[in-house]
Amino acid sequence: MKNIIVALLLSLTACSLQETPTPEPTLASQIELGVNTELSFQEGVKIKITKIEDSRCPENTTCVWAGMAKIYFTISANGVSKDSSIDYEAKPLKTTLDLGGQKFDIEVSNVLPYPKTTTEISQKDYKINITVKKA
């Protein structure tokens, strides 16, 4: 009897640990995306941030130029893929890409974390707020 109760409890626990898949976002949704993470939208479009070059002026320093973060990404739809980049300078910035006859607006509205003089930021620690929509 004791073995049956233990087996029942284990099976109930195993059922409750199953993860529910996260629904894919729709185009025009602002999403947060890390480097080397590919995101698929419900409409079949995929985007992947491949690298960030960050030359923004670190906090608590004085610079002649505020600097920028260059975000490299790959976007694909309907079997067509394109590599591109956006230069982010502290305000939302948008670019339009033609991908096999379809045009997409890609807007970056934030790049985190902001640089500090005391720490170097690893690629895996960056998060980008990005919006992809049909142009």
Side-chain angles (χ1 to χ4, degrees), residues 24-32 39-47 75 94 103-109 129-135:
E24 294 175 336
T26 58
L27 287 175
S29 301
Q30 184 182 67
I31 47 108
E32 183 178 271
L39 179 71
S40 297
F41 292 93
Q42 290 178 9
E43 296 84 352
V45 177
K46 295 180 181 181
I47 190 162
I75 186 168
K94 178 173 74 170
K103 291 188 187 265
F104 294 94
D105 288 333
I106 295 98
E107 181 179 4
V108 173
S109 56
N129 290 343
I130 193 165
T131 304
V132 179
K133 59 185 170 183
K134 288 188 178 180

Side-chain angles (χ1 to χ4, degrees), residues 3 6-7 33 45 53 75 102 107 116-117:
N3 289 340
V6 170
L33 193 59
V45 177
E53 292 176 355
I75 186 168
Q102 288 186 321
E107 181 179 4
K116 297 179 181 180
T117 56

Side-chain angles (χ1 to χ4, degrees), residues 66-127:
M68 69 177 189
K70 187 170 193 118
I71 297 97
Y72 294 88
F73 62 92
T74 301
I75 186 168
S76 59
N78 301 321
V80 179
S81 185
K82 188 171 193 172
D83 295 328
S84 191
S85 65
I86 295 178
D87 295 336
Y88 175 79
E89 296 183 27
K91 61 181 179 178
L93 190 64
K94 178 173 74 170
T95 189
T96 302
L97 293 175
D98 187 332
L99 193 62
Q102 288 186 321
K103 291 188 187 265
F104 294 94
D105 288 333
I106 295 98
E107 181 179 4
V108 173
S109 56
N110 207 357
V111 178
L112 295 172
Y114 196 84
K116 297 179 181 180
T117 56
T118 56
T119 58
E120 187 172 325
I121 303 168
S122 169
Q123 289 287 302
K124 68 178 179 57
D125 293 332
Y126 279 107
K127 300 290 181 208

Side-chain angles (χ1 to χ4, degrees), residues 12 48-49 56 58-59 61 85 99 105 109:
L12 289 175
K48 180 179 183 179
I49 306 300
R56 294 176 292 171
E59 291 178 346
T61 60
S85 65
L99 193 62
D105 288 333
S109 56

